[in-house]
Amino acid sequence: MSAREAVASVTGSFTEHRPAVRPAAPDGPLDWTGYAESRARASARTGEEESVLYGTAWIGDRECVLVSFEFGFLGGSLGGRTGDRLEAAYALARERRLPLVSLVATGGSRMQEGMIALIQLQRVARASTLLRAAGLPQIAVVRDPTTGGGWATVGAGADVVLALPGAQIGFAGSRVRPADADPYAYTAEGQLAAGQVDAVVPPDELPGTLNRWLTALTVTGRTEAAAVPRALSATGLPATGWDAVEQARSAARPRAEAYLDAYFEYRLPLNGDRCGGTDAGLLAGVGLHDGRPVAYVAQCGTATRPAGYRTAARVVRLADRLGLPVLTLVDTPGAANDAEAERAGAGAAIADAFAAVAAAGVPVTTLVIGEGGSGGALALAAPGNTHVTSDSYFSVIAPELAAAILKRGPDEVRSTADQLGLRPQDLVDLGIARSVVGPAAA
């Protein structure tokens, strides 16, 4: 698609803006022979003056600043005047307090302008940072292809990264990557698997998806704490510590996905830690609850991996910057402790999750819905605003491991569970949990 076709695919309401044109030498800052002719041919072919156009737009019922790249204009490359337009687009979003949506298709920096082209990446990074500091969201739609500095700034630097199916995505373009490189790694689907893209969205679903994201990232009025979900089972309070453990470990107990589906009108996933990792046992994103946006992080009953904690920290910090309340669902036997997890930085990732929750200026609400296994669970729990279901437990360590450390036999695991004070009602008595939540209304 051309830049304008890409715009038309998501909105029928677009008002173009143009920055003041700076005088420049015909063949650019390097006096590159034939550069003026190349630009003239690109302009004649595409009808555009540059590789980027921008303006204000309505996507559904949400207004935004919209940027679109024209790949037919010198490969959608970034030069000095491209930088002018991108910087002006970010400034317009700040001035009007609007989110920024970018429809990206680029081959990187423009060789004919040399280092002048390359330093446009610094201008874009600065403009993006200012918009981030203003508490305004950035959404990138990555089209085919998106490589080089455009991917590493406008694309990957966005808060939410959506990609079109089959799009070629990567810092290295097809002509400069290693000959034996796995081609899948440079696709939208490969980047999704690596946690660099939040979702792959078919073109016909893009307008609706963007509208939902713009709604979910827009907060009006004061940020109120997320409501505590109601319990999805009517299991009674456990009589003993071991009863609590067995109820929490029951295969019949409701899991995170069921809680999220019951709580949200719709939810939109945020995928991956942006460091090349994902954790299938952790769900994160933003959804609408009673018409208000809420960010969520939910453990799914498995040992949480370092990528999961880094993803959680990423989502909590995004929510804090945009003023979104956070809901966390705790359900894990503990942090993954295999050698691979240690090599992936388990300790640092858990510390980062603790820090993100501790530093959050927005309210964080936690519901323990199953196992609360040690620090791996506590890292996602809100100090002073944690609640528990009757089929959950929270413990400094699993009873079996506690018995092993204390050199007790298997026959003493149950009594050890009683000593740990891990039942839901114990947690309320200890001041760890504010309440044991009741079941949802029938």
Side-chain angles (χ1 to χ4, degrees), residues 6 53 65 67 127 150 155 214 251 253 256 266 288 314 334 337 352 359 419:
L53 57 91
V65 170
V67 172
L214 291 169
R253 171 181 58 78
Y266 67 76
L288 233 59
R314 172 197 163 206
N337 59 5
D352 196 37
Q419 288 182 287

Side-chain angles (χ1 to χ4, degrees), residues 37-355:
E37 287 79 2
S38 295
R39 287 178 55 85
R41 286 193 299 270
S43 183
R45 183 170 57 251
T46 63
E48 303 297 343
E49 300 169 351
E50 246 307 333
S51 57
V52 162
L53 57 91
Y54 74 98
T56 54
W58 287 84
I59 298 179
D61 60 353
R62 296 291 168 171
E63 190 178 13
C64 65
V65 170
L66 187 61
V67 172
S68 188
F69 281 69
E70 176 54 70
F71 191 79
F73 194 103
L74 301 180
S77 57
L78 278 68
R81 288 181 175 174
T82 322
D84 292 344
R85 291 184 171 219
L86 289 171
E87 190 174 57
Y90 283 89
L92 180 63
R94 287 203 322 275
E95 175 190 331
R96 301 204 180 180
R97 301 290 306 167
L98 293 174
L100 182 85
V101 176
S102 301
L103 311 176
V104 191
T106 174
S109 300
R110 195 169 298 170
M111 290 182 299
Q112 297 93 330
E113 295 188 19
M115 282 299 298
I116 296 299
L118 191 63
I119 64 170
Q120 302 311 308
L121 306 184
Q122 294 175 326
R123 292 180 70 190
V124 173
R126 173 66 175 163
S128 176
T129 299
L130 291 173
L131 193 60
R132 189 172 291 114
L136 295 165
Q138 302 171 48
I139 303 172
V141 178
V142 186
R143 298 154 52 208
D144 185 35
T146 298
T147 60
W151 163 237
T153 51
V154 182
D159 300 313
V160 178
V161 182
L162 310 177
L164 296 183
Q168 179 189 175
I169 306 168
F171 187 63
S174 60
R175 297 185 185 184
V176 298
R177 66 185 64 141
D180 60 349
D182 177 11
Y184 180 72
Y186 301 88
T187 63
E189 292 73 15
Q191 296 283 13
L192 177 70
Q196 311 294 354
V197 163
D198 291 306
V200 175
V201 183
D204 60 332
E205 296 178 14
L206 192 56
T209 300
L210 283 173
N211 180 247
R212 285 191 293 276
W213 265 117
L214 291 169
T215 300
L217 298 179
T218 302
V219 178
T220 55
R222 181 181 169 192
T223 301
E224 302 286 349
V228 181
R230 305 307 300 167
L232 295 183
S233 70
T235 303
L237 288 171
T240 68
W242 188 248
D243 288 341
V245 173
E246 288 192 317
Q247 287 183 182
R249 292 177 179 174
S250 170
R253 171 181 58 78
R255 304 286 162 157
E257 192 129 28
Y259 274 92
L260 294 174
D261 286 345
Y263 188 81
F264 287 110
E265 297 158 37
Y266 67 76
R267 53 191 172 95
L268 301 159
L270 288 166
N271 170 64
D273 63 1
R274 295 298 187 262
C275 299
T278 60
D279 182 354
L282 184 130
L283 300 174
V286 181
L288 233 59
H289 172 74
D290 284 344
R292 297 182 65 84
V294 175
Y296 64 87
V297 176
Q299 293 168 314
C300 299
T302 58
T304 303
R305 306 203 64 79
Y309 291 111
R310 284 191 288 263
T311 302
R314 172 197 163 206
V315 173
V316 171
R317 289 191 175 109
L318 174 63
D320 191 32
R321 181 160 49 79
L322 299 180
L324 302 172
V326 179
L327 171 69
T328 67
L329 301 180
V330 168
D331 183 11
T332 180
N337 59 5
D338 53 83
E340 181 185 348
E342 293 297 341
R343 283 192 292 268
I350 295 168
D352 196 37
F354 269 116

